Amino acid sequence: GVATAGDGYEMNSIAAVVIGGGSLYGGEGNVVGAMIGALIMSVLSNGLQLMGVSTYWQTLFVGIVLIVAVLIDNIRRKKEQ
């Protein structure tokens, strides 16, 4: 195996879990939600690739999706309190 084989996938995996319902504060989420989030991120990445979007812009777009997902999680947590 190559030690650097998974470099660059950290943001995608975190975004997939947060989109799937996991919280960055811990204690929430499940495997099915994470799998659905991973499916959404895969479709998003594949769609951007098929549209010919540069990899730099793809990374930016994934970052924006992650920020939006975290903001939604924070709003949801504040409503529960």
Side-chain angles (χ1 to χ4, degrees):
V2 180
T4 60
D7 283 354
Y9 290 110
E10 299 89 359
M11 188 166 64
N12 288 341
S13 61
I14 293 170
V17 171
V18 172
I19 288 171
S23 176
L24 292 178
Y25 297 105
E28 296 180 15
N30 55 32
V31 175
V32 175
M35 288 174 57
I36 291 171
L39 179 66
I40 291 170
M41 289 302 298
S42 296
V43 168
L44 182 69
S45 294
N46 192 24
L48 290 172
Q49 187 70 32
L50 290 173
M51 290 189 327
V53 177
S54 169
T55 55
Y56 299 108
W57 289 105
Q58 289 179 24
T59 305
L60 177 71
F61 191 71
V62 169
I64 291 170
V65 168
L66 178 59
I67 290 170
V68 169
V70 169
L71 289 174
I72 291 171
D73 181 47
N74 283 337
I75 291 170
R76 184 181 54 126
R77 284 178 132 304
K78 287 181 182 179
K79 285 184 179 181
E80 288 178 0
Q81 291 178 355

